[in-house]
Amino acid sequence: MTVEEIRVSSQWLDLREPADAAGRARDLVERVRRQLPPTGRRVIHDLACGSGSMGRWLAPLLPGPQLWVMHDRDGDLLDVAAANPPGPAADGADVIVELRRSDITQLRPEDLADASLITASALLDLMSGAQLAGLVDLCAGAGCPVMLTLSVVGRVAIEPADPLDTRVAAAFDAHQRRMTAGGRLLGPDAVAAATERFRRLGADVLLRASPWRLRAGEADLAAEWFSGWLGAACEQQLELTDEADAYARRRLAQARAGELAVTVDHADLLVLP
Ligand SMILES: C[S@@+](CC[C@H](N)C(=O)[O-])C[C@H]1O[C@@H](n2cnc3c(N)ncnc32)[C@H](O)[C@@H]1O
C-alpha cells in the first residue's frame, strides 16, 4: 500500500519554505538538542523530505557533525534537495546529505537503525490511518526522538471574511479526508491519530501550534495557497464551482492588493522515546 501518488511541485515547496520556517515551533529544537548523542555524528532521517526544507531549517540549529539521510519517492525533488543542501551545523561542524529514493511506507526497522533523530514535515495529513499507524510503529521502534512538523489541523481563518469561506473550508477538509486506493486519508485528523498511537506505545508527545500567518508580504504564497485550497474544495463538492469564479476573483484581487490575511493552522509534534 502506498500513500496516494500526489506530486508536489518544487516551486510550491520553494514558495512555502519561508512561511514553513516562520511557523515551525522553535522551542522543540531545544528539546531535540538535549536528546541527541553528546558526541559523534548525528544521523537524521528526514522522511518524505521533498526539496529538503526541513534540513535547511533544522541542521543549522543543531550542534555537531550531522548526516542527513533524505528519503522521498520523487526523484525530481531529491535532485532539488541535493542542489540545495543544509548549511553547516550550529557550531560550524559538517553537515552531509545522503539521498534515498524510497517509499517511506515500505521502510523496515533496519533502514532507520542508525537514527539519532527522525523528522518529517507536511506529511502526516497525506496518509491513511493504516499508513500512519505503520509509520508511528516504525518510528517508535527506532528509539530516538521523532519530530513531525507542519501537519494541517483543519482550521483556516481568512480576513476579511467572505460568506463562502465556511463552505469552502468544510469541502476542503472533506477532500483531505477523501477515500483513495490506499484507504481514507486522515487529513486534519492525522495529528490526533499520531499522538494517540505514540502515547499508547509509551512515548512522551509534545504538541505545539505552528501556524502559517500570511500577510501582505506573502501575497504570492497566499494567492497560490488560496487557489489550491479552492480547487480541492470544488473537486470535492462540484456545487461550489458555480460560485467559485466570482469568489476567486474577489479573493485574488484582495491578495494582490495586500488586503488578505490568512492563517492556516498547523501542528508540530515532538515524540520522545
Ligand atoms: C507536502 S510535501 C512536503 C515535503 C517536505 N517534507 C517539506 O516540508 O517541504 C510531501 C512530500 O511527501 C512525499 N511523499 C508522499 N508520500 C510518500 C511516500 N509514501 N514515500 C516517499 N515520499 C512520499 C512527496 O513526494 C512530497 O515530497
Side-chain angles (χ1 to χ4, degrees), residues 3 8 13 48-50 53 72-74 77 102-104 121-122 126:
V3 176
V8 182
L13 296 179
C49 64
S53 78
D72 205 285
R73 66 181 173 201
D74 187 324
L77 291 178
S102 62
D103 178 346
I104 53 105
S121 188
L126 303 176

